Amino acid sequence: MKFKKIRSPFKNRIVTFTVTALAIVCATVVFVSYSFFQRFFERSLIRSTESSLRLVSDSIDSDLSNVYRLVRFCRVNPSIADYIDNSPEPGSVLSVATYDRITEEYGINPSSGYIPRLAVVTGEHFLQIVSPTFSSTANLSKELPGQEFFHQLLYSDDYDFSVGFVKDPFYKNGIQILPIVRPITYRFNSETGGCLFMEISPALFTDSFSRYRTEKDSRIYLNLPGHCYCFNSGVLTEVRDFHVREKLHKTALLSDTTVSKVVDFNGVRTILVSMPVDMPGCSISCSVSLTQLHTRQFFMWLTIFLVAMAITAAGLLLMRNRIANEKEKNDLEYKMLQSQINPHFIYNTLNSIKWMATVQGSDGIAEMTTALAKLLKSLSKGSGLTVPIREELSLLRDYFTIQSYRYGGTISMDIRVDDPSIEDLKIVKFTLQPLVENAIFHGIEPKGSGCIDVHLYYENGLVRIDVTDDGVGMPPEKAESILKDASENRSDFFRELGVSNVNRRLLFEYGEPAGITIKSAEGEGTTMTISIPCVK
């Protein structure tokens, strides 16, 4: 008789669970990895940009310091103060001596090359040091006070660069300069008697910018109050200021560095790193290279993809193993069902034979037939994987009754249960019979006669069942092969259901530490111990 194999939905559940778990894990890995790597790459590029920008800032500040030193000299030098007090005529001894002193100081200043024009101006006269390129015949004492920026810069409490770069008002070609106007007081009072006029060349900034290597899509900027200049191809060009979208905190190395997500004058979203220079309200900025960021993002996504693929492969392998284990478990159960050789027709026929033997006075035949009928009835009853230990012991007694008649009373079996509550616990069906059968066939039969002791007891929170025979025993390698090789210990009564299969069924059902252990010595007998958890 063939049994229809019912497909368990467990495989579908494994697939669904594994796919769902993989999707959640991969999504989590992608999200966390993207967030981490994005922040890491952004911070790395920001700090790299900041470090390079600091070198540029230091170079500019060094030149500005030289400029400020020359300004201070002109405002406090006694010779220049005498010139302001007396306002001598051009060519006079005082004018020539003052001019020589200014020229001397100008010549030893390391940054004088960035100062194309320097003039000390009184109400009537002026002394001027000017590079040949910027030379002109303009009368600064008359024309300078008329410039738009003059009074704003003269009366400012500190250096004021808010006018930005302007065309040189005293040179016909109108070269761009950054003007500085500072008051010079009389020597013996604090009233303004004249002023210092100085022109700063854009080269003071562009030379430092030129030494700063940037990517093609990265730009460096000079920020003056109310003005923003972009450095491109060696020239500073005024552009529209940035629109700040978000300020990024705790990303820079230095406290005075500002990092922002901005929209630049071309409408491109970028990250801008800004650092102050030694000019009131002024700073330099550099946009982070999007090319570098995108390149790093490509490797980031590649890394995330490889990690996700590794997780997916591991998950699929785990799913495959789970499905294989479940299939093996189902196959064992299916083979166990196939081994049930007791259709109701056989059971009813045996019952008829029992009554005929009883009527005829054949008590042995009646007892053996009764045991076989009860055994077959137990096999046909129910389809559950586990049964109470009480039912398993009843099935074992019926099986042993048949074997005792078969061997003519040369074998005996004793069952001892230390605690009656053990019989109410569950055990995998058909666990004890293969072990007793093995004890009979491989232990006692070669010896000729013997006894089997079945002992049930509690130990370390588990139920232990010892099946001990006083047969011929076996070497350790034989005992090991019995648990591993199903072909060497198949049951005579149950096809495909030997000791090794029982051990595997116990492991499938309960996991570790359930299973069977074997202790044996040649000539002294064998003890097989079953360990199962206490399950009702």
Side-chain angles (χ1 to χ4, degrees), residues 136-153:
S136 69
T137 59
N139 185 345
L140 269 64
S141 62
K142 302 296 183 180
E143 297 183 26
L144 180 61
Q147 303 301 317
E148 293 182 2
F149 57 79
F150 178 75
H151 290 91
Q152 175 184 341
L153 302 186

Side-chain angles (χ1 to χ4, degrees), residues 340 342 375-381 395 429-430 493-494:
Q340 295 181 358
N342 60 326
L375 182 61
L376 294 177
K377 185 176 182 180
S378 297
L379 291 173
S380 64
K381 181 177 66 176
L395 184 147
K429 199 172 184 180
F430 312 135
F493 187 74
F494 293 95

Side-chain angles (χ1 to χ4, degrees), residues 422-438:
I422 292 177
E423 296 190 22
D424 296 326
L425 302 178
K426 293 292 185 70
I427 190 171
V428 175
K429 199 172 184 180
F430 312 135
T431 295
L432 297 179
Q433 181 275 331
L435 274 65
V436 172
E437 185 178 58
N438 186 83

Side-chain angles (χ1 to χ4, degrees), residues 320-335:
R320 181 179 178 183
N321 291 338
R322 286 285 305 278
I323 292 175
N325 290 340
E326 179 62 16
K327 182 177 183 300
E328 187 175 6
K329 179 180 178 180
N330 290 338
D331 288 344
L332 287 173
E333 294 176 359
Y334 182 58
K335 289 177 181 179

Side-chain angles (χ1 to χ4, degrees), residues 245-466:
R245 295 170 48 235
E246 177 187 358
K247 287 189 176 294
L248 302 180
H249 303 285
K250 299 181 180 180
T251 55
L253 292 171
L254 303 173
S255 59
D256 59 350
T257 302
T258 303
V259 183
S260 307
K261 289 185 177 181
V262 302
V263 178
D264 69 10
F265 62 93
N266 288 323
V268 178
R269 294 190 174 190
T270 186
I271 297 175
L272 193 71
V273 181
S274 301
M275 184 174 295
V277 291
D278 191 14
M279 300 167 64
C282 302
S283 64
I284 57 174
S285 304
C286 185
S287 59
V288 172
S289 171
L290 296 179
T291 300
Q292 287 192 27
L293 185 60
H294 293 160
T295 301
R296 296 189 181 189
Q297 285 178 338
F298 168 76
F299 288 105
M300 172 190 72
W301 282 114
L302 180 62
T303 302
I304 293 174
F305 173 76
L306 293 176
V307 171
M309 289 297 295
I311 293 174
T312 302
L316 293 176
L317 181 61
L318 177 62
M319 180 181 70
R320 181 179 178 183
N321 291 338
R322 286 285 305 278
I323 292 175
N325 290 340
E326 179 62 16
K327 182 177 183 300
E328 187 175 6
K329 179 180 178 180
N330 290 338
D331 288 344
L332 287 173
E333 294 176 359
Y334 182 58
K335 289 177 181 179
M336 183 183 70
L337 290 174
Q338 285 183 316
S339 69
Q340 295 181 358
I341 56 174
N342 60 326
H344 289 285
F345 175 77
I346 298 177
Y347 168 71
N348 293 333
T349 301
L350 288 173
N351 204 30
S352 299
I353 294 173
K354 179 195 73 171
W355 286 111
M356 289 176 63
T358 302
V359 171
Q360 296 176 8
S362 301
D363 296 335
I365 295 175
E367 185 179 3
M368 187 175 181
T369 304
T370 299
L372 180 58
K374 290 170 64 179
L375 182 61
L376 294 177
K377 185 176 182 180
S378 297
L379 291 173
S380 64
K381 181 177 66 176
S383 59
L385 185 62
T386 61
V387 295
I389 291 178
R390 180 180 291 102
E391 292 185 17
E392 183 72 5
L393 292 176
S394 177
L395 184 147
L396 180 63
R397 291 187 182 94
D398 292 332
Y399 169 77
F400 191 79
T401 297
I402 296 171
Q403 294 295 346
S404 64
Y405 277 106
R406 177 180 176 182
Y407 285 92
T410 59
I411 60 174
S412 62
M413 182 179 69
D414 181 31
I415 297 177
R416 295 179 295 132
V417 182
D418 286 2
D419 191 324
S421 65
I422 292 177
E423 296 190 22
D424 296 326
L425 302 178
K426 293 292 185 70
I427 190 171
V428 175
K429 199 172 184 180
F430 312 135
T431 295
L432 297 179
Q433 181 275 331
L435 274 65
V436 172
E437 185 178 58
N438 186 83
I440 295 173
F441 290 165
H442 299 290
I444 296 176
E445 186 176 308
K447 180 180 176 183
S449 63
C451 178
I452 299 173
D453 178 66
V454 181
H455 182 204
L456 293 84
Y457 57 96
Y458 289 118
E459 184 180 74
N460 297 329
L462 298 172
V463 176
R464 309 281 193 191
I465 305 175
D466 292 340

